Amino acid sequence: IKGDTICTFAPDKSSLVYDSGCSFNDEIWCFNNLPEMKVMFTFSDTLYNYNKSRKVLESEFCLKTNPDDRYIICPLPGKYVISSVSGKEIVVDTKQEKAYYFKLVNDYYGGLTMSASYFSQGWFRALYEPLELIEEITNRLKNRDLNNDDRIVLNKLLASLDVNGNNVMFLGKIRK
């Protein structure tokens, strides 16, 4: 990369990045859901805000939970959506200052449960390899409480999948 370095950042001493001896040379996550630039680093417990006027990263939100688990924090207007490697999904309501465990369900495609960590630029997206989606659908079809309409939708989707085919992406616009 050619050009000048504008500024550099050191890890905040309270973050897992600092405690584990890591640096900021890992993946950077920026979901662009808000006007301000919010970033986090792979497996860090802290979400940062880039203060453009001061040219510094400021800690905005820190998740203090199980140190053996790892998280991805996705900022949305008035909320933080947190997905853990262990499969837990958490939403933090910043106005009420409360946190809840939740499951994201695609009610358009038969109630498939999806990971909530992929909100970007006002859109939700979920990407599946065909075999992974086949397994998800097959498991969902085993549910005895599944209504007939959802069963029809899932069977139609299942019939359209090829194990050796392209990945399948679900997209949805986030409501404001």
Side-chain angles (χ1 to χ4, degrees):
I1 299 174
K2 294 183 179 182
D4 296 327
T5 300
I6 297 171
C7 56
T8 60
F9 306 104
D12 184 297
K13 290 183 180 179
S14 68
S15 77
L16 284 177
V17 171
Y18 187 86
D19 289 344
S20 64
C22 298
S23 70
F24 285 162
N25 295 326
D26 296 314
E27 295 175 311
I28 298 173
W29 298 76
C30 183
F31 295 98
N32 296 321
N33 290 314
L34 303 169
E36 308 86 23
M37 184 175 170
K38 313 287 183 192
V39 298
M40 74 165 296
F41 304 88
T42 299
F43 300 141
S44 169
D45 61 350
T46 306
L47 179 73
Y48 295 90
N49 180 63
Y50 177 65
N51 183 322
K52 191 174 181 179
S53 62
R54 293 182 49 220
K55 296 184 180 176
V56 296
L57 282 180
E58 300 170 331
S59 301
E60 177 174 310
F61 176 79
C62 185
L63 183 67
K64 296 295 183 188
T65 61
N66 181 354
D68 295 328
D69 205 353
R70 298 293 183 247
Y71 305 90
I72 294 179
I73 306 167
C74 180
L76 293 171
K79 294 178 179 39
Y80 298 109
V81 175
I82 301 150
S83 295
S84 72
V85 172
S86 66
K88 294 177 184 144
E89 306 282 5
I90 304 165
V91 64
V92 176
D93 186 317
T94 58
K95 290 182 179 68
Q96 295 181 16
E97 296 183 350
K98 292 185 179 182
Y100 307 91
Y101 287 106
F102 75 100
K103 286 186 181 180
L104 181 64
V105 176
N106 183 337
D107 56 359
Y108 190 77
Y109 272 100
L112 291 173
T113 302
M114 302 188 161
S115 172
S117 64
Y118 300 105
F119 293 92
S120 181
Q121 298 181 355
W123 288 84
F124 166 78
R125 68 186 185 281
L127 185 64
Y128 288 91
E129 291 186 19
L131 186 57
E132 179 186 10
L133 187 54
I134 289 168
E135 288 174 3
E136 290 285 333
I137 293 170
T138 302
N139 288 335
R140 181 75 178 122
L141 287 169
K142 291 176 185 175
N143 186 331
R144 293 181 182 171
D145 296 332
L146 187 64
N147 69 48
N148 195 47
D149 290 341
D150 286 345
R151 194 171 297 283
I152 290 168
V153 167
L154 290 172
N155 278 314
K156 184 176 178 182
L157 179 57
L158 185 60
S160 73
L161 297 174
D162 175 1
V163 175
N164 298 314
N166 292 326
N167 288 357
V168 176
M169 180 182 285
F170 292 96
L171 294 172
K173 184 75 173 145
I174 299 172
R175 294 184 200 140
K176 293 188 179 192

